Structures are given as structure tokens and as C-alpha cells.
Amino acid sequence: AADVVKQLRILAGGLRGHIETIDCTEFLKEASARLRRRFLLNLVGVRVECRDRALTIEAAPDLLHIVLYNLLINGVEAALRANIEKPRLILRAKQPSTNSIVIEVIDNGPGIDVNLKDRIFEPFVSGTAGGSGLGLAICRDVMEWHGGGITFEDSVPRIGAKISLTLPLKERGGA
């Protein structure tokens, strides 16, 4: 109940965060460690990939943790519901352009329900029985609060999903 209330407050415009410089690799490793503590190290395989040079972003770490943790939990729970023997997740950070960084969360679950694809980021839309339908809506709001966005696609070969978080890079120096 406390989580639902917190999520409703965020949706109602209660986003508050302190902007800090975040090292993407360390941030993703921390998110991976949190997930492993919840689901036990041997149950979930998590790989962190940051191939580009040292990537840093200006963001509110508490809010980004909410987003990442929600996406990671969704991926693991979807894989477990689909009886995937070894749930696996990839957390990848890359810089596809000079003005943004993309963090991808890739799972090996069943993918996104075709009936939800157009509404997946809307409040109260859930593909899980008993789900509040608030998690992905909050993820969208947090990413928009940062000036970024969130998108999804089914992974190839149609097993799993990839959620992409785009964050703008702030200009360094100057005004």
C-alpha cells in the first residue's frame, strides 16, 4: 500500500529530486546489485555493459533508481511467469549521439503483450494480474522530468523486451 501511495504521489506531480553527476557504469552496477539481493544471486543473471568511454549524466539518482528497479523487476517477474528457467537481464549504457545517453534494459521474458503496446506507459494499464499499472507510467514521468524519454521494443528473436531510457547530456561549462 505504501508503494502504491508513493507511486500515486509521483504521478500527481510529486517528483522531487536532487540533480547530481552520475557515473553510468557504477550506477548500473549498483542497480544490478540491488536486484540480485532481492532475487538471490543464482536465480537471475544480470550483465552490465558500458562499451563507450566513461559516461556520466546529470540526473536525480533516487528517481532513476525507481525507474531502473521497476524495469528490472518487471523483466524478472515476466520471465518467471513465463517459466523461463534462467531469467537474464542486460543493462547497457551507450552514447548514440553527442547530446544524449541511452540506458537499455533488455530481458529474456515473453515480450510485451500485443494488446498493451499502444498503452503500456499509461497509468493503471497492467499486463500483470493484480498489478497497479503505475510502474511504467511513473517511469515515463521520471524520464520526462529529466528531459528525456522512454521507449520499448520486443527483442529479437521475439523473446524478451528492450526498454530504452534516453537522457539528454547537459552542456559542460559556460552558462
Side-chain angles (χ1 to χ4, degrees):
D3 284 342
V4 171
V5 170
K6 182 177 181 180
Q7 292 172 352
L8 285 171
R9 286 181 52 216
I10 291 172
L11 274 178
L15 285 176
R16 306 255 191 289
H18 175 71
I19 301 295
E20 299 176 21
T21 300
I22 299 171
D23 176 292
C24 283
T25 302
E26 292 306 312
F27 190 76
L28 295 182
K29 286 180 180 178
E30 183 181 333
S32 170
R34 285 182 181 194
L35 182 78
R36 289 173 190 242
R37 283 191 297 272
R38 174 168 176 177
F39 284 101
L40 304 175
L41 186 61
N42 296 329
L43 179 61
V44 179
V46 183
R47 185 171 76 223
V48 174
E49 298 177 358
C50 295
R51 294 184 185 139
D52 294 329
R53 60 179 166 68
L55 297 177
T56 59
I57 52 175
E58 301 293 321
D62 290 344
L63 294 177
L64 276 188
H65 272 300
I66 289 170
V67 171
L68 273 181
Y69 196 66
N70 192 328
L71 296 176
L72 292 169
I73 294 297
N74 283 356
V76 171
E77 289 180 348
L80 292 174
R81 280 191 310 276
N83 295 316
I84 303 295
E85 188 174 317
K86 179 75 172 170
R88 289 186 319 275
L89 297 159
I90 298 171
L91 285 170
R92 179 183 298 146
K94 60 186 181 181
Q95 186 174 354
S97 71
T98 57
N99 60 0
S100 68
I101 286 181
V102 174
I103 297 172
E104 297 173 335
V105 179
I106 304 165
D107 68 53
N108 68 334
I112 297 169
D113 184 335
V114 69
N115 297 318
L116 299 178
K117 289 186 179 193
D118 294 336
R119 303 175 308 132
I120 195 157
F121 297 113
E122 292 178 15
F124 309 111
V125 173
S126 178
T128 305
S132 68
L134 296 175
L136 290 177
I138 288 169
C139 290
R140 181 205 58 214
D141 288 354
V142 168
M143 295 311 298
E144 289 175 357
W145 184 85
H146 281 92
I150 183 170
T151 59
F152 76 90
E153 62 187 76
D154 283 332
S155 295
V156 176
R158 300 222 184 281
I159 294 178
K162 175 170 67 172
I163 305 283
S164 298
L165 308 171
T166 303
L167 293 157
L169 287 175
K170 306 289 187 216
E171 289 188 29
R172 306 258 188 244

